[in-house]
Amino acid sequence: MGYSWFVGTIGSGRAMQDLCGYFDLTGQSLWLDNLSRALLLEGRLKQAIDQLGIRGVTSNPSILDRALRETPAYYRADLRNLYREHGDAEAVYERLVARDVQMACDLLTPVWEASEGWDGYVSWEVSPHLAHDVEGTVAAAERLRGLAGRDNLMIKVPATPAGVQAFAELVAQGVSVNVTLIFGLPQLAAVFRAYLDGLRRWIEAGGEARAVRSVASVFLSRVDTLADTRLEAEGSPESMALRGRAALALAARSQALYVQIFHGPEFADLRAVGARPQTPLWASTGTKNPAYSDLLYVEPIMWPETINTLPDATLAALVDHGRIGRHAAADLAQDEAHVARLAGLGIDLDGAVAARLQEDGLALFQDSYDRLLALVATAAPPSAP
């Protein structure tokens, strides 16, 4: 089957599942949460698409920073040549990554065409320093689209208030967008309704309804990390029994909100003209706590009309020992009761926790982006300004 990618991760000689039928079996798309030139040039991304059922790719500044640091030889010649031509670290970075994005988009074009634009996308994030700048985000999105030059590109913007406003403007221009750093239900609701607003404006201006595709990236493992820390600090038997369940409660409530909006009257007029819903994408699905299952954020949430974007190790675990099947909706009343119990202990998942995690996630991406640009700058040839 050619699963050499995973030999070093899960050991040779183990029985491994073929995930090519995963989408048909579950109704959920698998995307890979990784992008690097090594994945592209060594054939591993193609392998993941052809043999493991991967239907899309996501990236972020942390992933791209790691790619340049871990495999610098793949970028060195391009970096020096681009610096001679452009001289500015950010301009060099964007053109460097555009080549990776183009190659990944080309590999996924058959998926994009076969799914009629439902899957087959590569996500590329605007600078996280633009998270509170509407006009800057829109301008950066237009620039990155021009550099990539691929129809199956998704521009990635954060779910900050300014990011959500920029998202609506981009959708109104017919741009496909991945909205990231969503940690709570009110944040998700704002994103969903911004999509409806932008989509209606796009269609009213004469745009083709099916030309726009969007996903809403709901981060999971980080929610448990923060909630568990506070539960352990409280230390009572009641609080300790509540650990490891906040993220799945967020996923279940997010899916219920998706069904309410996109299978309900709010979206009915748009669905009637062929518009696509904005689907939930489960992000941050690598398990942080070694005491939990390595597929905690995969197996319980195999719901139709969703996407799970997996880091390499989580994909390897799914191939190795995942239990795969279409799941019914979660017990929403039980999940709401869990959220209420956390609130009773002072853990406000949709308020303070979501806000803190979004701020922390944005700071992490900003730091990665700054380190990435500093690394790019070290490639300047002696004659470069």
Side-chain angles (χ1 to χ4, degrees):
M1 294 299 295
Y3 290 109
S4 58
W5 180 7
F6 297 104
V7 168
T9 305
I10 61 177
S12 59
R14 306 267 313 259
M16 292 179 276
Q17 301 181 82
D18 184 339
L19 299 185
C20 287
Y22 183 94
F23 176 78
D24 293 332
L25 188 62
T26 65
Q28 180 182 77
S29 301
L30 291 179
W31 290 11
L32 182 66
D33 193 28
N34 197 4
L35 179 62
S36 72
R37 198 160 293 186
L39 283 177
L40 294 159
L41 297 184
E42 294 172 7
R44 289 183 284 154
L45 180 56
K46 186 176 190 305
Q47 177 190 22
I49 296 166
D50 293 346
Q51 299 178 1
L52 301 180
I54 289 298
R55 298 169 65 87
V57 166
T58 53
S59 69
N60 60 49
S62 297
I63 286 171
L64 298 173
D65 176 56
R66 186 172 67 244
L68 265 71
R69 291 181 186 278
E70 293 181 354
T71 56
Y74 285 107
Y75 297 97
R76 191 171 293 122
D78 264 359
L79 276 170
R80 293 179 68 85
N81 291 334
L82 286 167
Y83 237 111
R84 287 190 178 97
E85 184 177 353
H86 299 284
D88 173 77
E90 190 163 42
V92 170
Y93 152 76
E94 289 181 350
R95 284 156 179 81
L96 184 75
V97 172
R99 298 184 184 184
D100 290 2
V101 169
Q102 288 170 337
M103 286 189 281
C105 283
D106 291 346
L107 285 176
L108 283 160
T109 293
V111 175
W112 183 72
E113 292 175 342
S115 67
E116 298 182 334
W118 182 259
D119 280 315
Y121 291 91
V122 177
S123 293
W124 187 10
E125 191 159 350
V126 300
S127 166
H129 290 292
L130 298 171
H132 306 297
D133 181 347
V134 177
E135 292 78 12
T137 296
V138 172
E142 293 170 348
R143 185 174 65 254
L144 297 187
R145 287 183 78 211
L147 288 171
R150 299 295 189 271
D151 291 333
N152 55 333
L153 172 72
M154 264 191 184
I155 295 296
K156 213 171 181 186
V157 302
T160 59
V164 170
Q165 187 177 340
F167 164 55
E169 293 301 319
L170 289 168
V171 171
Q173 296 175 22
V175 179
S176 294
V177 180
N178 177 343
V179 185
T180 188
L181 293 177
I182 300 170
F183 293 94
L185 214 60
Q187 292 173 355
L188 180 62
V191 169
F192 280 163
R193 295 200 160 88
Y195 178 66
L196 298 180
D197 169 59
L199 195 55
R200 287 197 170 92
R201 286 193 278 148
W202 165 248
I203 293 171
E204 288 167 3
E208 169 57 42
R210 290 180 65 80
V212 177
R213 177 77 170 104
S214 184
V215 300
S217 293
V218 180
F219 282 53
L220 299 180
S221 67
R222 298 184 193 182
V223 173
D224 273 341
T225 298
L226 182 54
D228 285 1
T229 297
R230 296 187 178 179
L231 289 168
E232 289 163 4
E234 202 278 336
S236 69
E238 177 194 5
S239 66
M240 298 298 279
L242 296 176
R243 292 175 298 169
R245 296 166 54 191
L248 292 180
L250 172 60
R253 294 160 66 236
S254 298
Q255 179 64 3
L257 181 63
Y258 165 77
V259 171
Q260 174 190 325
I261 290 178
F262 291 102
H263 286 273
E266 286 185 85
F267 190 65
D269 60 323
L270 293 168
R271 184 180 288 276
V273 297
R276 305 175 191 273
Q278 183 186 26
T279 50
L281 180 150
W282 312 127
S284 185
T285 57
T287 305
K288 304 287 192 295
N289 188 334
Y292 297 159
S293 165
D294 54 4
L295 293 171
L296 177 62
Y297 308 111
V298 181
E299 288 178 337
I301 53 175
M302 293 176 181
W303 297 320
E305 296 182 40
T306 64
I307 298 163
N308 201 320
T309 183
L310 307 178
D312 294 12
T314 307
L315 177 58
L318 182 62
V319 171
D320 182 53
H321 53 265
R323 295 167 295 177
I324 299 168
R326 184 180 295 246
H327 289 199
D331 185 342
L332 192 60
Q334 183 177 353
D335 289 307
E336 294 287 7
H338 181 74
V339 172
R341 285 194 291 272
L342 291 175
L345 294 171
I347 302 172
D348 179 9
L349 286 183
D350 286 334
V353 168
R356 164 74 181 276
L357 286 170
Q358 188 178 84
E359 291 173 5
D360 289 350
L362 185 58
L364 176 66
F365 285 167
Q366 288 172 342
D367 181 62
S368 292
Y369 193 78
D370 290 343
R371 288 189 292 111
L372 181 59
L373 294 189
L375 181 64
V376 167
T378 66
S383 59

